[in-house]
Amino acid sequence: MLFMVEMLVQIPDSVAPETAEQLKREEKAFSQKLQREGKWPHIWRVVGQYANVSIFDVASNDELHTLLGGLPLFPYMKISVTPLTQHPSAIAAD
Amino acid sequence: MLFMVEMLVQIPDSVAPETAEQLKREEKAFSQKLQREGKWPHIWRVVGQYANVSIFDVASNDELHTLLGGLPLFPYMKISVTPLTQHPSAIAAD
Amino acid sequence: MLFMVEMLVQIPDSVAPETAEQLKREEKAFSQKLQREGKWPHIWRVVGQYANVSIFDVASNDELHTLLGGLPLFPYMKISVTPLTQHPSAIAAD
Amino acid sequence: MLFMVEMLVQIPDSVAPETAEQLKREEKAFSQKLQREGKWPHIWRVVGQYANVSIFDVASNDELHTLLGGLPLFPYMKISVTPLTQHPSAIAAD
Amino acid sequence: MLFMVEMLVQIPDSVAPETAEQLKREEKAFSQKLQREGKWPHIWRVVGQYANVSIFDVASNDELHTLLGGLPLFPYMKISVTPLTQHPSAIAAD
Amino acid sequence: MLFMVEMLVQIPDSVAPETAEQLKREEKAFSQKLQREGKWPHIWRVVGQYANVSIFDVASNDELHTLLGGLPLFPYMKISVTPLTQHPSAIAAD
Amino acid sequence: MLFMVEMLVQIPDSVAPETAEQLKREEKAFSQKLQREGKWPHIWRVVGQYANVSIFDVASNDELHTLLGGLPLFPYMKISVTPLTQHPSAIAAD
Amino acid sequence: MLFMVEMLVQIPDSVAPETAEQLKREEKAFSQKLQREGKWPHIWRVVGQYANVSIFDVASNDELHTLLGGLPLFPYMKISVTPLTQHPSAIAAD
Amino acid sequence: MLFMVEMLVQIPDSVAPETAEQLKREEKAFSQKLQREGKWPHIWRVVGQYANVSIFDVASNDELHTLLGGLPLFPYMKISVTPLTQHPSAIAAD
Amino acid sequence: MLFMVEMLVQIPDSVAPETAEQLKREEKAFSQKLQREGKWPHIWRVVGQYANVSIFDVASNDELHTLLGGLPLFPYMKISVTPLTQHPSAIAAD
């Protein structure tokens, strides 16, 4: 089941730089683990912004919230979620 | 070169139903041709809306505008375009 | 799997009054069938508006889109969909 | 009398983490007390956000404001309130 | 129980002028009946707009929706409803 | 001459709690003085928000600005002002 | 008493061109009469738009609404009104 | 050449009160100098806000930016600029 | 003197197709004349939209309004105007 | 390949003034290097704002993101990107 997830990262000044770097390393590792498991099949950088557009493939809303809430940068992100479904013109199940 | 394209279709009352149906058939054929050519790798339906989220893979802004402007339903769509690029956490070139 | 669905109905002048009445009757029957099946457990009127707030309980995004797209008034509604999940403070699975 | 209440929690940096944790525990207890009393019949988590959608069932606007104003996290929430009423298509009084 | 109700009137071209005038006369009579009954204690014109700000005093959300839905111009109005309650600084119950 | 004034209070963290309490006491006294003088005939709490909807009755724009600018919490409020006038359907001069 | 009034003119297709021209002539005459009377001391065109920014000098909200409601193009304008007052840095009463 | 300039002042907590007072005195002197030179012919206070609506009369965009950028409070203002021109209904060149 | 002008074209159904085509031909000729005269140094198509971003180089606000108001498609465009000036980092006067 | 890039600079209080000055010097040098290389052909100041409108000419979305992400003030800017293409009325390839 597919969802478009848009994430905008805004780390406040009150987070120490080394903490921020550590969070980003953990975020990357977490993201890559989910990509390898097939739950996060696409992640793109939005040009000119510290933001991404992602596609998640999960079994349920619950699983999606658990994954997003577990992101190390979750407290510093604005996230919007758009449920997607198969398009009638699509030539392949996606 | 990747772009997210969001399309919202709003066919006005002044278009006769049979014309609308014909345009939709042409739109589908046009979309599927571009999908087969690899220029429109993803198209998803937004749940609850006559709208889609798509990914285009084109050589240039010019090519993207030519493709979008050629859509049979182009005069009846609100389109927004977001340039994308490789995300540093992505495990595969996409 | 739960979704909040907000529907705002805007039937244009070009729909004949008797057609509009027929669509509303069909909408009501369709809605009540889904309520009886447990797929549309809540529907509330928004005070002062020709709009509703609803909760849907479906197996997937696909099923939700099929249900919403099948609403007789679907062409005349603005719909927004918000995925929901269990709240950690909830005392009952809902 | 039913109201949809949407709450978005934004605890600022100036609140010490242990204070925040204490407030969240009190919030949970307060919410569950109201749920048990039937005044807060539904609370759902919005996927991907530190936010909830709730339904309150109260005797008056005054009672609703007293309950919301008494939430331990009230000073750190953006709250919107939508009055609801029975929908003519609903098969049950809700 | 008090509510602020903001109404913006937009009668489309498709309504014949004499029908519009008839609706306005009925609206005025309906409004004045509710004012005399004490259910619509205040109605003010917004300067420069075909709009009003009103205060309603009703027993419930249901009653408010019944009153608003019964307005002869209801199909041609954008309405927003804000629940109000006693302000702690108010010197009189209002 | 009537104005609707909407005030949203946002006291920042940098104001000490005892200062905030003192300002609120002064605000209340100032508001009640204006209410007794008939210049601030209505003040209502917006349900679920640290905000009010008020009606002011003043001789001029200048007087309104002087009153609002003199509110002890003025530096911490977002204020919007809507000029009102007699509504043609009103049964009483208000 | 001064007000900034912003007017955006949108004459719909359903108004016959000769009617529109007649309304514009009447609007111009009406505006110039008010300018000569000192009630409409400034009117400027917004560059690139069929819109104006105006300053009105009137005795009350009531008078302002009567003037604006009397504009021949009033039914086809979006109007916003901002109450103004003497600025403490102004070197002249304006 | 005329421009409407809207300025909203937001001095942050981090500016010491005496610094803020000094800046406001300098702002007033600077404004009055420009008013006397005829470059800032109108300045009005927006009722209920720490904001003004102004008219500037300058020789070029460059001059306007130089003047605005030179305001002592410039770093703490949100400014919007609207180019104006002679209105065809105006009875005087303004 | 430079201005950024953004134009979004929305030709309504009520304009006959041959009239629309004629207007577009006149628009193109008018635009190219201004480009050759140096008054409209840049015009770019916004990808995916019937819209353009343009730079105008004119002597005054008055001239800009005269040019824009003379566009054959002016009645069918939404136009926004942003005054520009030399940037301190620019290596060339532009 | 052309893009319009709009940048709004907002340096927070937490950046020391000398650091801010150093970043601005580096930003200017970086910008001028890209201008000389032809990748940043236009940069204009928006009148009345600490903001610019720029045109970038790059080989790809990737290159654009690399350039923008490398701006010394990137962490303190809100950036929006609009893909452009040749306009059919343009008299010169731009």
Side-chain angles (χ1 to χ4, degrees), chain A residues 1-3 59-65 81-86, chain C residues 1-3 59-65 81-86:
Chain A
M1 212 168 67
L2 297 175
F3 293 87
S60 68
N61 289 353
D62 290 354
E63 184 182 10
L64 181 59
H65 187 69
V81 174
T82 304
L84 302 176
T85 187
Q86 173 81 5
Chain C
M1 212 168 65
L2 298 175
F3 294 87
S60 67
N61 289 352
D62 290 355
E63 185 182 8
L64 181 59
H65 188 70
V81 174
T82 304
L84 302 175
T85 188
Q86 173 81 5

Side-chain angles (χ1 to χ4, degrees), chain I residues 41-92:
Chain I
H42 299 290
I43 177 171
W44 298 287
R45 172 65 79 219
V46 178
V47 170
Q49 296 188 16
Y50 189 5
N52 70 71
V53 172
S54 289
I55 304 293
F56 279 77
D57 187 354
V58 294
S60 67
N61 289 352
D62 291 354
E63 184 181 10
L64 181 58
H65 187 69
T66 301
L67 295 183
L68 295 176
L71 292 171
L73 289 172
F74 178 77
Y76 309 121
M77 292 199 290
K78 284 181 66 174
I79 292 179
S80 75
V81 174
T82 305
L84 302 176
T85 187
Q86 174 80 5
H87 193 282
S89 297
I91 57 173

Side-chain angles (χ1 to χ4, degrees), chain B residues 1-74:
Chain B
M1 212 169 65
L2 298 175
F3 293 87
M4 173 170 69
V5 180
E6 296 170 282
M7 309 181 199
L8 177 66
V9 185
Q10 298 173 310
I11 303 178
D13 294 338
S14 56
V15 176
E18 54 275 23
T19 306
E21 288 311 309
Q22 177 62 21
L23 286 170
K24 290 178 195 175
R25 277 192 299 273
E26 292 172 10
E27 178 87 10
K28 185 172 187 172
F30 188 80
S31 167
Q32 294 189 334
K33 175 173 173 296
L34 294 179
Q35 290 178 60
R36 279 188 296 266
E37 293 172 5
K39 294 177 189 297
W40 193 339
H42 300 290
I43 177 170
W44 298 288
R45 173 64 80 218
V46 178
V47 170
Q49 297 188 15
Y50 189 4
N52 70 71
V53 172
S54 289
I55 304 294
F56 279 76
D57 188 353
V58 293
S60 67
N61 289 352
D62 290 355
E63 185 181 10
L64 181 59
H65 187 70
T66 301
L67 295 182
L68 295 176
L71 293 170
L73 289 172
F74 178 76

Side-chain angles (χ1 to χ4, degrees), chain J:
Chain J
M1 213 168 66
L2 298 174
F3 292 87
M4 174 169 67
V5 180
E6 296 170 283
M7 309 183 199
L8 177 66
V9 185
Q10 298 172 312
I11 303 178
D13 295 337
S14 56
V15 176
E18 54 275 26
T19 306
E21 288 312 309
Q22 176 63 19
L23 286 170
K24 290 178 194 175
R25 276 192 299 273
E26 293 172 10
E27 178 87 10
K28 186 173 187 171
F30 188 81
S31 168
Q32 294 190 335
K33 175 173 174 293
L34 294 179
Q35 290 178 61
R36 279 189 294 267
E37 293 173 3
K39 293 177 188 298
W40 193 338
H42 299 291
I43 177 170
W44 297 288
R45 171 65 78 217
V46 178
V47 171
Q49 297 187 14
Y50 190 5
N52 70 72
V53 172
S54 290
I55 304 294
F56 279 77
D57 188 352
V58 292
S60 68
N61 289 353
D62 290 355
E63 185 182 8
L64 181 59
H65 187 70
T66 301
L67 295 182
L68 295 175
L71 292 171
L73 289 172
F74 178 75
Y76 309 121
M77 294 199 289
K78 285 182 65 175
I79 292 179
S80 76
V81 173
T82 304
L84 302 176
T85 187
Q86 173 81 5
H87 192 282
S89 297
I91 58 175
D94 191 15

Side-chain angles (χ1 to χ4, degrees), chain G residues 2 4-5 7 21-24 45-46 56 61 65-66 70 72 81 84 88 94:
Chain G
L2 298 175
M4 174 170 67
V5 179
M7 309 182 198
E21 287 312 309
Q22 177 63 21
L23 286 170
K24 291 179 195 175
R45 172 65 79 217
V46 178
F56 278 77
N61 289 352
H65 188 69
T66 301
V81 174
L84 301 176
D94 189 18

Side-chain angles (χ1 to χ4, degrees), chain H residues 16-27:
Chain H
E18 55 275 26
T19 305
E21 288 312 309
Q22 177 63 18
L23 286 170
K24 289 178 194 174
R25 277 192 299 273
E26 293 172 9
E27 178 86 11

Side-chain angles (χ1 to χ4, degrees), chain G residues 6-21:
Chain G
E6 297 170 283
M7 309 182 198
L8 177 66
V9 186
Q10 298 172 310
I11 303 177
D13 295 337
S14 57
V15 175
E18 53 275 23
T19 306
E21 287 312 309

